[in-house]
Amino acid sequence: QVQLVESGGGLVQAGGSLRLSCAASGRSLRTSSTGWFRQAPGKEREFVGGIRRSGITTYHTDSVKGRFTISRDNAKNTVYLQMNSLKPEDTAVYYCAATFRTTAQAISTLNFDYWGQGTQVTVSS
């Protein structure tokens, strides 16, 4: 049994920052590939970025534009998404997801097995 719980969302003004947390239980995220996704009302869920078991990170450059940073605290078994210079278009429910399968595929194309419940991020103009 693997459980993921997101937290840290909220309401911020454009240009502000938030740090989202993805806390895991059941297995160590150190042995996982962990991704962040977001979904706005009426839209499909989209990939934001992720971190491999090696610590290598990947971002959706066109949407993130260097504003977001993903990191992992192995002692806390938690993956973070630091979001800076937030824009109204970043408004969405943000999800973390994990897989423990080993693959050479790009992280954006992985089949993630475990998903959190999501945390709401709202950016006002």
Side-chain angles (χ1 to χ4, degrees):
Q1 181 75 19
V2 177
Q3 292 184 328
L4 305 176
V5 179
E6 302 96 336
S7 62
L11 174 64
V12 298
Q13 293 181 338
S17 298
L18 284 174
R19 188 181 72 167
L20 306 185
S21 299
C22 175
S25 61
R27 292 187 69 173
S28 175
L29 291 180
R30 176 64 180 84
T31 62
S32 80
S33 293
T34 306
W36 284 97
F37 299 79
R38 64 186 182 186
Q39 187 169 25
K43 303 293 185 181
E44 293 292 321
R45 188 152 51 194
E46 68 173 357
F47 176 75
V48 175
I51 183 169
R52 309 299 293 257
R53 67 182 67 203
S54 65
I56 295 175
T57 54
T58 301
Y59 304 95
H60 193 308
T61 303
D62 289 342
S63 61
V64 173
K65 301 176 182 177
R67 299 177 294 121
F68 294 1
T69 303
I70 296 171
S71 62
R72 183 174 64 221
D73 187 329
N74 294 326
K76 295 183 178 180
N77 203 23
T78 299
V79 170
Y80 301 97
L81 177 64
Q82 178 68 47
M83 305 186 294
N84 300 323
S85 302
L86 284 163
K87 305 174 181 179
E89 62 211 58
D90 296 317
T91 295
V93 177
Y94 283 71
Y95 300 87
C96 66
T99 179
F100 297 89
R101 289 187 286 269
T102 300
T103 177
Q105 291 180 260
I107 192 169
S108 60
T109 68
L110 293 177
N111 180 17
F112 290 95
D113 305 288
Y114 306 100
W115 293 80
Q117 294 299 115
T119 184
Q120 177 71 49
V121 172
T122 303
V123 184
S124 62
S125 302

